[in-house]
Amino acid sequence: MASNSKTFSFDEVAKHNNKKDCWIIVNGKVYDVTPFLDDHPGGDEALLSATEKDATIDFEDVGHSDSAIEEMQKYYVGDIDTNTLPAAKVDNIPPPRQAVASSSSNESSGFVLKFLQYVLPLLILGFAYALQYYGKSSKPSEPSES
């Protein structure tokens, strides 16, 4: 990476958002990944969905190998002007009151699921055993020939 790297605005980078021209932003750096689209193990859609946004979190969530991070350097084209990045969306975070209510309902439904995981198979086994046991004893006797 050269010390005289170019700085791009978010709008400039966001224009490169298709299979013929694909740029992504990761950790404040801009990468032209167009030549890598066909070779990406996650497919070209994974990279195309990372355009027009800061893809740092998406990139880190996947857990790329050290060799993948090294290989990225050959696609480096410059840095992003962080002042031009859109503000992070805060509306995805639920209010604390809703979080508390949903966590208590999740705990109770989790208990029910765990309870059913153990009880339901036992009930099925008990039913199968009862059916076999009572099924044998209530068979009609074969008619005798006279």
Side-chain angles (χ1 to χ4, degrees):
M1 287 191 264
S3 61
N4 59 355
S5 63
K6 181 165 174 147
T7 301
F8 296 95
S9 72
F10 177 78
D11 291 333
E12 287 177 289
V13 176
K15 293 176 186 174
H16 304 273
N17 60 2
N18 57 62
K19 287 185 178 187
K20 294 182 180 179
D21 189 21
C22 182
W23 290 17
I24 61 171
I25 302 167
V26 177
N27 292 319
K29 295 180 178 12
V30 179
Y31 300 93
D32 179 359
V33 294
T34 309
F36 187 61
L37 287 174
D38 293 332
D39 299 328
H40 188 263
D44 60 355
E45 284 301 316
L47 292 172
L48 289 169
S49 68
T51 61
E52 300 183 57
K53 65 179 181 178
D54 183 352
T56 303
I57 293 174
D58 295 343
F59 181 82
E60 290 173 351
D61 283 349
V62 172
H64 288 88
S65 66
D66 292 339
S67 61
I69 294 169
E70 282 179 34
E71 187 172 344
M72 276 180 60
Q73 301 314 313
K74 65 182 172 183
Y75 303 109
Y76 173 79
V77 291
D79 295 317
I80 188 73
D81 180 0
T82 55
N83 295 326
T84 63
L85 287 173
K89 293 183 180 178
V90 182
D91 58 353
N92 291 342
I93 302 170
R97 178 180 291 157
Q98 291 175 348
V100 170
S102 66
S103 69
S104 64
S105 89
N106 283 344
E107 289 174 8
S108 63
S109 66
F111 170 76
V112 171
L113 285 174
K114 285 187 180 208
F115 180 75
L116 287 176
Q117 283 179 333
Y118 293 107
V119 172
L120 192 60
L122 291 174
L123 288 173
I124 292 171
L125 283 172
F127 181 73
Y129 176 77
L131 190 62
Q132 183 179 9
Y133 179 76
Y134 290 113
K136 284 182 179 178
S137 64
S138 65
K139 281 187 180 177
S141 59
E142 294 184 21
S144 59
E145 294 181 25
S146 346

